[in-house]
Amino acid sequence: MKTPLPYHLATSAVAVGILLAACSKSADPEPEPLPQPPPTAQADAWFEECATESGIDFQHVSGHDTKFVFPEIMTTGAALFDMDGDGDLDAYLVQGGHWSQKDGARDNVQGNQLYENDGTGTFQNVTQGSGADDKGYGMGIATGDYDGDGDTDIYVSNLDRNTLLRNDGAGKFTDVTEAAGVGGSVWSASTAFVDYDRDGDLDLFVTNYIYWDEDSELPCQDPPRGLTYCSPKSYGAPTPDTIFRNEGNGTFTDASLEVGLRSSKGNGLGVLCADFDGDGFQEIFVANDGTPNKLWMVGEDGAWSEKGLLKGCAVDDQGRAKAGMGVSAADLDFDGDEDLLVVNLKGEDDSLYRNDRGRFSDRTPRAGLAHLSNKRTRFGVVLRDFDHDGFIDIYQANGHVTHPIVEVDTDPFADDNYLIRGLENMRFEQVSPLGGVAKPLIATSRAAAFGDIDGDGDLDLLVHNRDEGAHLLRNVAPKSGNWILIQLLETSGSDAIGATFSAKAGERIMRRQVRTAESYCAASDGRLHFGLGEATGLTDIQITWSDGKTEAFGTLASDTIHTLRRGEGRTE
C-alpha cells in the first residue's frame, strides 16, 4: 500500500474548472498585469495583545502527544457575541481535549469556556454553572437567536456530536440538541445561522469535513521530516454538508436530502451566507479543502442548485481547486455587491473573487495578493476597515498543517499572522510590523472573530490558537477617518441576520449584510461597522429585511453607534 501524501502535497488541479476559468476570463477581458511583489506599508502597530490582562486566560489543548492525528491540527473556534443583551461583546472559546472517544480519554476534559465583558473590554470567566461548557472535541461556533426570544443562542460544531445551547438569559444556557434534532454525527467545521426560506426564523447550515474515526486514522510521511498530518485527500472520504430547517417550534428538520445537499460532496471548512446577486434570497458559499468550492442558490420555489462553477467561484483563474479554509466578504469596489476572499494552503495564492451581480472573477493577482499570500497557511480571515480610511483591510490567522522546512525548538506549526492594508482600486499592501503587532505573536492560529470589545468604535480581534492561549487584539491603529457602527434588530430584539443595509457616504455606496458567520470556525459581532474616511455620516439609507420587506431611515451621523429596529423606518 502506498504511503498517504501529507497535507501540502495532496492538493491538485481540477480539470473541470479549466473551462470555467476560460469563461471567467472572457467575461472579464482586462489583461493580467505582470506579477509584482506587493508593497509594504511601514506603520505603527495596529493591534496590541491584551488577552491575559483583559481576563481571558484560556489554554487550548489539542490532545497531541506523539502521534499525528488529523483533527488535532484543525481545531479551535472562537466567538464574540452579546450573550446577555447588555450591549457589549462577550467571548466564547471551544476546547479540544483528547480526540479519542474510547477508554475514558475525555473524562477530564475542561469543556468550552464563556467570558463576560464588563463593557470596557475586561472579561471574567463565567463558565461555571452557565451550562455553556460543552465537552465535545470542539471545532467551530455559530451564534443566532433560533427561537426568537431575543437572546443569542450558540451552536458548537464538534468532531462527533454537535451541540445547540439555548440561551435562557442571565448568562445561562441549556443543551437542547436532542430535542431540537441538530446533533449530527459527522466531523463538522464552520456553521451558520441563515433564514434560507425567508419564513422569519433561522435555519442552520453545517459544513462537514470528512468521514473520520480514530480506527481509520492513517500514518502520513513528509520526507525527510518523518511523520506528519495527512491531507483530507489521503482519506478519500469527502462528505455532503447539512441544512437543518427551523420548524418554528424549537425543533429542526434535516432537509439535506430534500434540497439536494446529499448528492454533492466536498471537504467543507468555511461558510458564508449572503445575497450576492440581489434577488432577495441568501446564497450559501462553502470553502472546500482541496475540492471545488460550492455556491448554493435558492430559488423562489425553494429549490436549491449548486452554481459554483457557473458563477466563477469554485476554482481559481487557472482552473485549480485550492485548499479553501476561511472565507470573508465585503464590497471592496463599492459597486453595491459583496466580493469574496477565500484563504488557502501555503504555496497557494488566496482567491479574491470580485462579484458582479452574482458572477465572480478571480482578481487575486491584480489585487497584489498573489505573491503576498502564499507564504503561509491561512485559516481565519477578516475583511474589514481597521484604520477607518474608507478602504477594506485584511487580517489573516496563520499556522502550518505540516512541519516547515526550518526546524524550531517550540511549536513547529506556529507562524506569524498577516495584516494587509486596503488601497484604492481594489489593491492591497502588507503592513509592517508583521501581523500589525509590535511584538511578534507566533502561534498556530485558526479561528479569528471580530467586533468592538471596548465601545470605542473600532474593530478588535479574538484569535484562537492551537495548544496555546487565545490572543485578544485591541485595535490601536492610527486612524485616518471617521467610523460608524450600526445594529439592525428584529422586533424581538435579536440581530436581523440576513438583512441588507445600503447607504451612501458621499458618493460612495456602502452595502453589507448582517451575518455572524464568516472567517474559519468563528462567530463575530452582527453589528455593521464601516470606516468612512472623510465622510461625516451616511445618507440614502435603505434596509431590506430577510423576508424581502424594505424600510428607509434618515441620515446617520458618524463616530456613533446606531440601532435601527424593524418597523421603525419608513415603508417604501
Side-chain angles (χ1 to χ4, degrees):
M1 184 178 73
K2 293 183 179 179
T3 302
L5 289 174
Y7 204 110
H8 68 296
L9 297 179
T11 55
S12 61
V14 174
V16 71
I18 296 174
L19 177 61
L20 170 69
C23 293
S24 296
K25 287 182 178 180
S26 65
D28 185 16
E30 279 186 56
E32 287 281 349
L34 292 174
Q36 298 292 328
T40 299
Q42 299 293 331
D44 297 328
W46 287 34
F47 299 100
E48 59 180 16
E49 206 289 305
C50 61
T52 301
E53 67 185 68
S54 297
I56 295 183
D57 55 359
F58 187 86
Q59 180 69 34
H60 181 263
V61 178
S62 72
H64 175 70
D65 44 32
T66 57
K67 297 180 180 180
F68 291 89
V69 182
F70 195 21
E72 298 170 353
I73 201 64
M74 307 301 290
T75 178
T76 76
L80 288 172
F81 75 116
D82 186 359
M83 71 164 176
D84 46 13
D86 62 356
D88 54 49
L89 297 179
D90 309 294
Y92 188 69
L93 295 164
V94 304
Q95 184 58 281
H98 198 281
W99 42 265
S100 177
Q101 309 298 311
K102 299 180 179 179
D103 303 324
R106 298 189 55 79
D107 288 350
N108 297 316
V109 170
Q110 178 191 44
N112 302 342
Q113 299 292 292
L114 179 66
Y115 294 85
E116 183 180 17
N117 188 348
D118 70 357
T120 68
T122 299
F123 295 82
Q124 178 182 0
N125 191 321
V126 294
T127 309
Q128 187 172 0
S130 69
D133 56 339
D134 180 56
K135 296 183 184 296
Y137 191 90
M139 289 291 160
I141 307 169
T143 56
D145 181 12
Y146 83 92
D147 54 0
D149 64 354
D151 297 318
T152 302
D153 309 297
I154 302 172
Y155 186 75
V156 182
S157 62
N158 290 314
L159 179 61
D160 43 10
R161 169 193 179 271
N162 300 334
T163 303
L164 178 60
L165 298 173
R166 186 187 66 209
N167 190 336
D168 296 327
K172 304 297 182 183
F173 293 83
T174 299
D175 184 342
V176 296
T177 309
E178 300 306 320
V182 292
S185 59
V186 183
W187 178 357
S188 302
S190 298
T191 66
F193 282 105
V194 54
D195 184 8
Y196 80 89
D197 51 7
R198 303 210 304 181
D199 65 351
D201 50 37
L202 294 178
D203 312 296
L204 184 58
F205 189 92
V206 181
T207 65
N208 297 318
Y209 191 39
I210 64 171
Y211 290 112
W212 182 93
D213 63 60
E214 55 194 282
D215 294 328
S216 65
E217 182 58 317
L218 302 171
C220 287
Q221 296 281 340
D222 186 11
R225 293 181 290 278
L227 285 172
T228 191
Y229 292 106
C230 296
S231 158
K233 289 190 175 182
S234 299
Y235 302 88
T239 71
D241 297 320
T242 304
I243 182 70
F244 292 107
R245 183 177 61 233
N246 192 334
E247 301 298 347
N249 58 4
T251 69
F252 292 77
T253 297
D254 186 342
S256 306
L257 180 62
E258 174 187 329
V259 304
L261 278 178
R262 294 279 175 83
S263 63
S264 179
K265 295 182 179 180
N267 304 119
L269 286 181
V271 64
L272 188 142
C273 307
D275 180 9
F276 291 114
D277 57 4
D279 68 350
F281 289 86
Q282 295 284 294
E283 286 81 59
I284 301 175
F285 177 85
V286 178
N288 280 314
D289 186 359
T291 54
N293 303 322
K294 305 291 186 184
L295 181 66
W296 291 100
M297 307 187 71
V298 183
E300 292 187 13
D301 59 356
W304 287 43
S305 55
E306 200 288 300
K307 300 289 188 182
L309 284 171
L310 290 176
K311 296 296 185 179
C313 56
V315 294
D316 71 3
D317 59 355
Q318 302 300 310
R320 297 171 298 189
K322 297 177 180 175
M325 312 290 191
V327 57
S328 190
D331 185 2
L332 300 176
D333 49 4
F334 308 104
D335 65 347
D337 50 35
E338 292 188 280
D339 310 292
L340 272 172
L341 177 64
V342 184
V343 294
N344 304 300
L345 190 69
K346 181 180 179 180
E348 298 177 342
D349 303 341
D350 287 336
S351 296
L352 178 63
Y353 297 110
R354 186 184 68 182
N355 182 8
D356 184 12
R357 294 295 184 266
R359 297 192 65 85
F360 295 89
S361 57
D362 189 339
R363 302 283 295 192
T364 309
R366 275 171 276 186
L369 292 176
H371 288 275
L372 171 61
S373 59
N374 62 16
K375 298 179 179 65
R376 289 167 169 80
T377 293
R378 295 85 66 201
F379 276 81
V381 59
V382 178
L383 281 172
R384 292 296 184 272
D385 186 354
F386 294 110
D387 63 351
H388 300 166
D389 65 351
F391 298 103
I392 301 294
D393 311 304
I394 305 171
Y395 185 86
Q396 296 180 346
N398 305 328
H400 297 284
V401 291
T402 55
H403 292 79
I405 295 175
V406 178
E407 296 297 330
V408 295
D409 295 330
T410 55
D411 181 0
F413 302 96
D415 211 340
D416 293 283
N417 294 336
Y418 273 152
L419 177 63
I420 303 167
R421 181 170 176 253
L423 306 172
E424 290 185 280
N425 300 320
M426 212 170 171
R427 297 277 301 176
F428 296 90
E429 63 181 4
Q430 184 174 317
V431 170
S432 178
L434 204 62
V437 290
K439 181 180 179 180
L441 297 173
I442 312 297
T444 306
S445 299
R446 294 295 183 252
F450 60 88
D452 180 8
I453 63 167
D454 47 12
D456 63 355
D458 54 30
L459 291 182
D460 312 294
L461 294 163
L462 177 64
V463 180
H464 203 0
N465 303 308
R466 172 187 182 264
D467 285 332
E468 193 174 319
H471 291 151
L472 185 63
L473 302 181
R474 193 184 304 274
N475 190 331
V476 294
K479 304 302 189 295
S480 55
N482 300 311
W483 59 272
I484 196 166
L485 193 61
I486 302 161
Q487 185 172 33
L488 303 188
L489 296 179
E490 297 288 353
T491 54
S492 65
S494 57
D495 285 327
I497 291 177
T500 300
F501 177 90
S502 64
K504 284 188 176 181
E507 295 302 314
R508 177 177 288 177
I509 298 171
M510 310 297 278
R511 185 179 186 274
R512 190 169 298 151
Q513 293 189 312
V514 178
R515 57 178 166 265
T516 59
E518 58 186 289
S519 186
Y520 170 78
C521 288
S524 296
D525 186 8
R527 295 177 297 182
L528 305 176
H529 175 274
F530 297 97
L532 299 179
E534 296 180 355
T536 58
L538 296 177
T539 61
D540 300 327
I541 295 163
Q542 180 172 296
I543 298 170
T544 303
W545 304 99
S546 61
D547 60 3
K549 296 179 180 178
T550 63
E551 292 181 76
F553 288 81
T555 299
L556 300 179
S558 66
D559 303 329
T560 304
I561 301 174
H562 300 270
T563 299
L564 305 181
R565 190 181 295 265
R566 182 194 280 261
E568 295 181 353
R570 302 188 308 275
T571 301
E572 298 272 330

